[in-house]
Amino acid sequence: MGLRRLGISNPAANTDVSLFTADNQYLLSVIATNKSTTTSANIRVWVQPFGSTTESQYAYIVYDIPVDPSNSYETFRFAVNQNDAVYIRSSTANLSFQAIGLV
């Protein structure tokens, strides 16, 4: 299997959204694109490991990183295990997210 898109979301502002739940082990990254031409937005990306029950068990990949208007930000590559969930959040509704990765 080659590189593939694993999830896409255009979330509402200040809403935690599940972008992708792993059906295998993956090495992936998340790309956030700010569709606004005038307003910056802050983003969060985190992994909720399968079976975790508290926020202190989550692995934050980025936390309130600014994405300038008409720009994109790509996380570094990170690993997830089967049944882990990748979550996203944006301070505005103008962000588009996608997860891309390899098995």
Side-chain angles (χ1 to χ4, degrees):
M1 298 179 137
L3 188 65
R4 65 183 190 164
R5 183 174 49 244
L6 304 171
I8 295 175
S9 182
N10 292 276
N14 298 310
T15 304
D16 297 346
V17 174
S18 176
L19 179 62
F20 170 70
T21 299
D23 59 357
N24 206 327
Q25 293 177 323
Y26 287 91
L27 181 63
L28 63 99
S29 66
V30 174
I31 300 168
T33 301
N34 188 343
K35 299 177 290 184
S36 172
T37 58
T38 59
T39 305
S40 289
N42 290 333
I43 62 165
R44 296 178 187 175
V45 177
W46 68 95
V47 177
Q48 183 176 343
F50 179 69
S52 62
T53 57
T54 64
E55 189 174 335
S56 65
Q57 297 171 314
Y58 301 170
Y60 283 88
I61 308 304
V62 296
Y63 196 92
D64 289 345
I65 295 291
V67 180
D68 291 333
S70 301
N71 278 284
S72 296
Y73 175 85
E74 182 175 8
T75 67
F76 57 86
R77 276 69 174 174
F78 58 95
V80 294
N81 293 322
Q82 187 169 358
N83 298 317
D84 288 353
V86 176
Y87 280 84
I88 55 170
R89 182 182 180 96
S90 172
S91 62
T92 72
N94 294 323
L95 272 281
S96 176
F97 291 84
Q98 72 171 320
I100 55 172
L102 296 166
V103 173

